[in-house]
Amino acid sequence: MNRPDLDIVILAAGKGTRMYSKMPKVLHRIGGRPMLERIIDTAAALKPRTICAVIGHGKDQVLDTVKRDVVWVEQTEQLGTGHAVKTALPHLADTGRTLVLAGDVPLIDAATLAALVDAPGDEVALLTDLPDDPTGYGRIVRDEAGKVTAIVEEKDADPAQKIIKETNTGILVLPNKYLAGWLSRLSNGNAQGEYYLTDLIAMAVSDGIAVRPVQVRASHLAAGINNKVQLAELERIFQAEQAAELLKAGLTLRDPARFDLRGRLKHGQDVVIDVNVVLEGEVELADGVEIGANCVIKNAKIGAGSKIAAFSHLEDCQTGQDTRIGPYARLRPNARLSDGVHIGNFVEVKNATLGEGSKANHLAYIGDATVGRKTNIGAGTIVANYDGVNKHHTVIGDEVRIGSNTVLVAPVTVASRATTGAGSAITQNCPEGKLALARARQTIIEGWVRPEKERK
Ligand code: UD1
Ligand code: CA
C-alpha cells in the first residue's frame, strides 16, 4: 500500500558515546546488517512519500556503508531530537504526517508502524512500551482520566514521574501542518540542554490535538541501543526469532541457540545444521544438505545431498550435488565444485573449477585452476599460481592422477589421464596419458656410516 501523505524522518546523527567505538552507533550491526540500513528498509516497506535520514556524527562513514536512496540531511551539531527533526523540515510537505523513527531502534517492524500511521485525522500517535526496566527512557505522563499529557525525560523527571513504568519508544507520528510551529516553540531549558522532540506532546495537548498512545506488542521491537550490552541482547533476540522461523519452515537446527544467520538463508527439505554454524550474506542449501559443527559459510550455494563436515570455511563459492567437504576445508571466492567432488581436510580451493567426481582429499592448494572429471589430486599438492607479480592459470584434465607433493608451476597444463610422480615440480605441460616425473632421483650411498658421538 502506498502512503502518499506520509513522510518519514530517521534520527541518526548522534555519536553513540556509550558504544565506545570509532564507528557511528547506527552502523553497528544486528543480524549482519547496519541498524540504520535495517530501519531504512522497514521505513521503505511503508511506501511513504519521503524518507529523510538525519545524520551527523561519522556521516561519511554512514554514506559509505548504507547505500540507500533516501534524502540524507546533515545535522552538524547534535542539539537534540527536536532540533534533528527541524533540520529535516525543509524536506517535509506541509500536509500529511511525519513518522519519526530513531536510528538506534533497529527491530521495529512495518506492521507496528502501519498501526501507528494508519489513523484518520490530525492526531499525534505515540508508540509506547511497558518494559521490565524503564530506566533511561522518557516517561509517559497521563492525567487522572488516563489521557497522555506529556513526556518527561528521565533526567528531568521528579521522583513521582520516575516510578512511571510506561515509556516513550521515541517513535511517533506528527501532523505536518503543526510541525513547523511546534518545533519553533521548543526550548532547551532542561537537564540536558537539548531541544527535545518529546516536548511536542505537551504542545499538542495544549493546542487541543489528540494524542493517541499505541503500546508496542513486544518490548524488543522498540528497544533502543545505547551500549554493547543492549546490542548483544538484541542480537540474541533477533537470532532466536530468526531460528524459530527457520525451524517452523522445516530446517533442522541441532541447537537454535547456537546458530547465527547474518543474512538470508534459502533451504530445501531435510537440511541439518549442527551447532555453532555461522551463515552470512546469501546462502542456499539444497535438499538434504548437512552442515557440521563450527562451519562458517558466506555467500554460498550448496547442492543437494552435500555434506560439509566440521570446521569448514566457505565464501563466495558454489557446489554441485553430493559433494563432501571438510572437515577443515576452505573454499575461497569463486571455488566451483561439480557433483560428487570431495574436498578434504586442510584443502584450500580458490578461483578454481573441479569437474564431476574429482577429489582432493588432504592438504592441498588449488588456486586459479580448471580441473576435469574424476581426477585425483594427491596430498600435499600445491598449485603455484603466483610468480610474485601475476597470477597464472593451471589446467588439469580428466582422470588425471596428481602424485602427492606435486608442485604445479602455473601456467601449466596436465592433459587427461596423465600422471605426475610424487614430489614432482611440474613446470612443463604433460601430454595426455603420460607419466611426468620432475624430481631428483634417489641414490643409495654405499659405505656410508652414521656419525657417532665422540668418546672422551
Ligand atoms: C530518546 C527520547 C526518549 C525515549 C528514547 C527511546 C528524546 C528527548 N528522548 O531518548 O524519550 O525514551 O529516545 O529510545 O527524544 N539524535 C539526532 N540528533 C540529535 C540527538 C539525537 O539525530 O541532536 C538521534 C540519535 O542518533 C538517536 C535518536 O536521535 O538515534 C535518539 O537520541 P538519543 O540521544 O539516543 O535519545 P535518548 O536519550 O535515547
Ligand atoms: Ca537512544
Side-chain angles (χ1 to χ4, degrees):
M1 177 173 123
N2 280 314
R3 291 183 173 82
D5 60 349
L6 179 69
D7 297 320
I8 299 182
V9 176
I10 303 171
L11 306 185
K15 184 176 184 185
T17 312
R18 287 164 285 173
M19 297 296 273
Y20 299 103
S21 170
K22 288 198 176 73
M23 192 161 72
K25 177 161 73 175
V26 292
L27 293 187
H28 288 268
R29 287 162 192 263
I30 293 279
R33 277 166 68 203
M35 289 195 249
L36 180 58
E37 188 181 299
R38 205 169 263 292
I39 294 161
I40 290 175
D41 291 348
T42 305
L46 297 178
K47 300 203 165 76
R49 173 170 53 197
T50 342
I51 300 177
C52 287
V54 180
I55 54 174
H57 263 286
K59 81 168 170 38
D60 295 335
Q61 243 177 307
V62 172
L63 292 173
D64 281 349
T65 310
V66 181
K67 298 289 181 204
R68 289 294 185 275
D69 188 18
V70 299
V71 180
W72 297 102
V73 179
E74 189 182 356
Q75 184 196 24
T76 43
E77 267 186 301
Q78 283 69 57
L79 302 178
T81 50
H83 179 262
V85 174
K86 201 171 174 181
T87 310
L89 209 50
H91 305 281
L92 309 178
D94 300 329
T95 58
R97 304 144 155 259
T98 294
L99 167 65
V100 180
L101 300 175
D104 62 350
V105 178
L107 295 189
I108 192 67
D109 63 339
T112 303
L113 297 178
L116 202 64
V117 158
D118 293 333
D122 268 353
E123 61 175 24
V124 170
L126 190 63
L127 190 69
T128 65
D129 190 18
L130 280 172
D132 296 335
D133 179 11
T135 310
Y137 289 107
R139 305 298 209 285
I140 308 293
V141 181
R142 293 179 184 249
D143 65 14
E144 275 134 40
K147 277 203 165 147
V148 173
T149 57
I151 295 175
V152 57
E153 290 305 296
E154 163 117 356
K155 287 187 178 137
D156 300 285
D158 60 35
Q161 291 167 330
K162 272 193 184 139
I163 56 175
I164 297 173
K165 294 261 188 304
E166 191 181 16
T167 60
N168 172 32
T169 63
I171 293 172
L172 73 170
V173 182
L174 300 157
N176 285 3
K177 66 173 169 186
Y178 303 118
L179 209 48
W182 287 345
L183 290 171
S184 69
R185 278 156 62 192
L186 282 179
S187 95
N188 63 353
N190 51 50
Q192 301 185 80
E194 288 182 4
Y195 296 93
Y196 291 162
L197 184 65
T198 45
D199 286 350
L200 262 54
I201 299 302
M203 289 182 196
V205 172
S206 79
D207 286 357
I209 308 299
V211 176
R212 178 171 60 100
V214 176
Q215 198 187 320
V216 69
R217 69 171 195 283
S219 283
H220 70 265
L221 297 173
I225 290 179
N226 295 314
N227 59 41
K228 298 273 174 81
V229 176
Q230 290 164 330
L231 182 70
E233 282 171 359
L234 227 50
E235 177 72 23
R236 284 340 297 163
I237 291 170
F238 175 79
Q239 290 295 344
E241 287 210 326
Q242 205 171 231
E245 289 298 317
L246 291 165
L247 290 168
K248 281 184 219 156
L251 178 73
T252 299
L253 291 170
R254 293 282 185 227
D255 181 0
R258 285 181 288 168
F259 170 69
D260 286 81
L261 171 58
R262 302 176 194 148
R264 253 192 307 238
L265 170 62
K266 258 172 107 175
H267 62 89
Q269 278 188 313
D270 302 306
V271 172
V272 178
I273 297 183
D274 212 328
V275 301
N276 295 329
V277 168
V278 177
L279 303 183
E280 294 179 65
E282 303 285 332
V283 175
E284 264 184 69
L285 306 175
D287 289 352
V289 167
E290 292 180 18
I291 312 287
N294 301 297
C295 289
V296 177
I297 302 178
K298 181 175 183 178
N299 299 326
K301 216 170 155 176
I302 309 299
S306 291
K307 293 191 172 31
I308 300 173
F311 296 98
S312 294
H313 191 285
L314 285 70
E315 182 175 359
D316 296 322
C317 60
Q318 190 177 321
T319 86
Q321 300 187 6
D322 299 309
T323 59
R324 297 287 173 272
I325 295 158
Y328 300 98
R330 179 159 184 220
L331 301 186
R332 290 176 50 204
N334 204 26
R336 290 160 174 275
L337 314 184
S338 306
D339 294 350
V341 165
H342 290 195
I343 298 296
N345 41 257
F346 306 103
V347 174
E348 176 179 341
V349 181
K350 186 217 77 175
N351 190 33
T353 307
L354 277 85
E356 218 177 295
S358 286
K359 294 175 184 170
N361 274 324
H362 335 263
L363 304 156
Y365 173 63
I366 306 165
D368 301 308
T370 307
V371 179
R373 304 167 65 242
K374 294 188 178 159
T375 281
N376 193 75
I377 311 272
T381 295
I382 299 292
V383 174
N385 57 328
Y386 187 52
D387 60 15
V389 183
N390 295 304
K391 300 254 167 78
H392 301 282
H393 198 79
T394 297
V395 177
I396 302 171
D398 298 335
E399 295 170 46
V400 169
R401 301 281 168 268
I402 301 290
S404 297
N405 251 22
T406 296
V407 179
L408 296 150
V409 182
V412 74
T413 297
V414 181
S416 292
R417 282 167 296 285
T419 299
T420 67
S424 290
I426 302 294
T427 54
Q428 291 166 30
N429 294 347
C430 305
E432 180 157 349
K434 302 290 191 218
L435 168 67
L437 271 182
R439 65 185 186 218
R441 283 189 175 254
Q442 178 173 327
T443 44
I444 304 292
I445 312 295
E446 297 295 344
W448 178 82
V449 184
R450 192 186 277 181
E452 281 184 21
K453 220 172 180 109
E454 278 175 39
R455 294 215 177 104
K456 286 179 198 152

